[in-house]
Amino acid sequence: MKHFKVLIIVILALLSLGLFQGCGIYSFTGASYGSAKTFTVENFVNKATYVNPTLATKITEDLKDRFMSQTPLALVTSGGDLNFSGTITGYKISSQDISSKGTATKNRLTISIKVTFTNETDSENDFEKTYSRYSEYDVKNTFNSVESSLVDEIITLIIDDIFNDSVVNW
């Protein structure tokens, strides 16, 4: 039993030093980034008809945060091994669930973002793709009262999609 405890301590020590990382390209999140060491996220541009003034910054910063928290990649201001840029192409509210009286009972906020991803270490993974997600809210609520939480929810889903498409590749 004493030898078993020593073995466990040695393995944990080696893991903390990174000696059992294999080839070092996978993480516990399932991410695979090849030989990439850095990433760049350019500021997203808002070209939607209706402009939320904080949306472009939120997307840019949330994407950076996701990669900094779930990968060992270093953020650089330009020329990263993995590069992201994008444009907000849609931010719209539409009526949903029309009642028998002909009035909407729910509204839907939809956000669409066109993302360009380039992988300088493996160009076969490059893509340009539009992501669109939505969230619904009861018409009893004003849009101003729910906008922030809807945006947070939608952006989280879109960032998940971008992260998965760029480095998880399942």
Side-chain angles (χ1 to χ4, degrees), residues 8-22 24 28 72:
I8 295 296
I9 291 171
V10 169
I11 290 173
L12 290 174
L14 292 173
L15 283 173
S16 69
L17 293 173
L19 297 178
F20 282 144
Q21 288 183 346
F28 289 113

Side-chain angles (χ1 to χ4, degrees), residues 44 48 55 59 63 67 83-92 109-118 125-134 154-169:
F44 278 67
L55 186 60
I59 293 167
L63 186 57
F67 274 81
N83 296 288
F84 298 89
S85 62
T87 304
I88 301 163
T89 58
Y91 190 91
K92 68 178 186 172
L109 172 64
T110 303
I111 299 175
S112 301
I113 303 169
K114 183 177 181 182
V115 175
T116 301
F117 169 71
T118 56
N125 291 325
D126 294 356
F127 63 81
E128 186 171 278
K129 184 174 180 179
T130 298
Y131 297 90
S132 186
R133 291 292 194 136
Y134 66 86
I154 295 167
I155 295 309
T156 297
L157 294 171
I158 290 174
I159 297 296
D160 287 345
D161 293 341
I162 296 168
F163 184 83
N164 290 337
D165 286 350
S166 60
V167 296
V168 174
N169 299 319

Side-chain angles (χ1 to χ4, degrees), residues 46-52 55 88-96 106-113 131-137 143 146-147 150-151 154-155 158:
N46 198 337
K47 292 190 177 180
T49 304
Y50 177 85
V51 175
N52 174 321
L55 186 60
I88 301 163
T89 58
Y91 190 91
K92 68 178 186 172
I93 302 166
S94 57
S95 298
Q96 302 295 310
K106 291 194 180 276
N107 286 331
R108 175 182 289 179
L109 172 64
T110 303
I111 299 175
S112 301
I113 303 169
Y131 297 90
S132 186
R133 291 292 194 136
Y134 66 86
S135 186
E136 295 179 348
Y137 63 98
F143 179 66
V146 296
E147 182 178 16
L150 294 172
V151 167
I154 295 167
I155 295 309
I158 290 174

Side-chain angles (χ1 to χ4, degrees), residues 52-83:
N52 174 321
T54 62
L55 186 60
T57 301
K58 177 160 184 50
I59 293 167
T60 302
E61 295 306 314
D62 285 5
L63 186 57
K64 288 177 185 178
D65 289 346
R66 174 64 60 88
F67 274 81
M68 288 189 295
S69 68
Q70 293 189 1
T71 73
L73 301 174
L75 174 65
V76 294
T77 56
S78 64
D81 297 325
L82 306 181
N83 296 288

